[in-house]
Amino acid sequence: VSNAGVGMAGPLECQSLAAMQSLMDTNFFGLVRLVKEVLPDMKRRRGGHIVVISSIMGLQGIVFNDIYAASKFAVEGFCESLVVQALRFNVAISLVEPGPVTTEFETKLYEEAERADYSQTDPETADIFTKLYLRNSKDVFASLGQSPEDIAEHTLRVIEAARPPFRHQTNVAYTPMAALKHADPSGALMTHAFYKLVFKYDAVLRLSLR
């Protein structure tokens, strides 16, 4: 089970390349190093199961989560490319894809975001992040966030499955969000839907979450 991960949220201009590279080293290359260690023996034994804690953000990017989403997209692409070869050796790969999970991980991320320096971006972007994103994100976690125990139960079901699924989303509330991308290959439907949700109907979003 690969579960190592760090988060990053905020305006792109305010994040250093060193921090981005460190995040990728944990979220993506940490997984790659683990798989390189365990896969050869699993192939020799012709049996095994690699379970990867991914994210719904590996399927759908979210505003102000550019680098974190990129790391989870990398995880998804890596596993999707590897799974067919692995199956030849009777090795299963499963991606567990949670939405928001209420842990210290999220609390720490908010604390860092609230005391961060936003002088490297323009005032409008800083306002959008601090006054729209952070406020709405807290409501999302409060309304839709799962507990770590819930994610553990989902992961256990994946591990114990007679035919392990390749992808398993833990929160049905996010299924429509992920489906938008497949409904319109041009990306217009997804882009406009999220734009309206963030910039036009944010009050409706907050009300519905509460």
Side-chain angles (χ1 to χ4, degrees):
V1 178
S2 174
N3 187 42
V6 292
M8 179 183 287
L12 184 67
E13 306 96 308
C14 301
Q15 297 164 345
S16 70
L17 282 174
M20 297 177 193
Q21 289 168 336
S22 177
L23 181 144
M24 290 297 294
D25 189 53
T26 299
N27 292 8
F28 176 62
F29 287 107
L31 168 64
V32 173
R33 286 191 289 269
L34 176 66
V35 172
K36 276 176 64 68
E37 288 295 324
V38 301
L39 186 60
D41 186 57
M42 288 182 175
K43 288 166 77 173
R44 278 192 294 271
R45 289 187 286 112
R46 292 198 170 256
H49 189 186
I50 298 168
V51 180
V52 181
I53 307 301
S54 180
S55 169
I56 196 69
M57 276 195 261
L59 301 175
Q60 173 62 60
I62 301 294
V63 63
F64 290 119
N65 284 269
D66 323 86
I67 307 305
Y68 179 78
S71 73
K72 292 301 184 177
F73 266 71
V75 164
E76 295 272 334
F78 173 71
C79 292
E80 194 169 275
S81 299
L82 194 62
V83 66
V84 174
Q85 177 206 147
L87 284 173
R88 177 70 179 178
F89 294 88
N90 196 36
V91 175
I93 297 177
S94 296
L95 289 156
V96 178
E97 299 162 335
V101 184
T102 306
T103 66
E104 291 180 7
F105 180 102
E106 165 242 346
T107 304
K108 182 182 176 185
L109 200 61
Y110 284 134
E111 289 174 351
E112 290 174 352
E114 286 172 354
R115 64 172 179 262
D117 176 15
Y118 299 114
S119 61
Q120 294 181 69
T121 190
D122 58 277
E124 185 177 359
T125 299
D127 275 353
I128 293 168
F129 178 65
T130 56
K131 295 178 181 177
L132 277 182
Y133 173 82
L134 287 180
R135 182 176 58 185
N136 288 344
S137 188
K138 287 179 181 178
D139 288 343
V140 166
F141 270 88
S143 177
L144 301 176
Q146 293 176 275
S147 70
E149 291 79 12
D150 194 15
I151 304 303
E153 288 293 334
H154 278 272
T155 304
L156 182 61
R157 289 201 291 272
V158 168
I159 291 171
E160 292 181 336
R163 298 184 65 182
F166 175 56
R167 284 192 170 96
H168 176 80
Q169 294 172 25
T170 68
N171 194 326
V172 295
Y174 283 81
T175 302
M177 184 182 80
L180 278 177
K181 183 179 286 188
H182 299 288
D184 176 16
S186 77
L189 179 62
M190 177 273 297
T191 303
H192 293 310
F194 275 89
Y195 181 87
K196 289 176 181 176
L197 196 63
V198 172
F199 294 114
K200 290 190 175 183
Y201 305 127
D202 64 295
V204 176
L205 170 65
R206 288 199 308 277
L207 184 63
S208 65
L209 289 170
R210 289 170 183 169

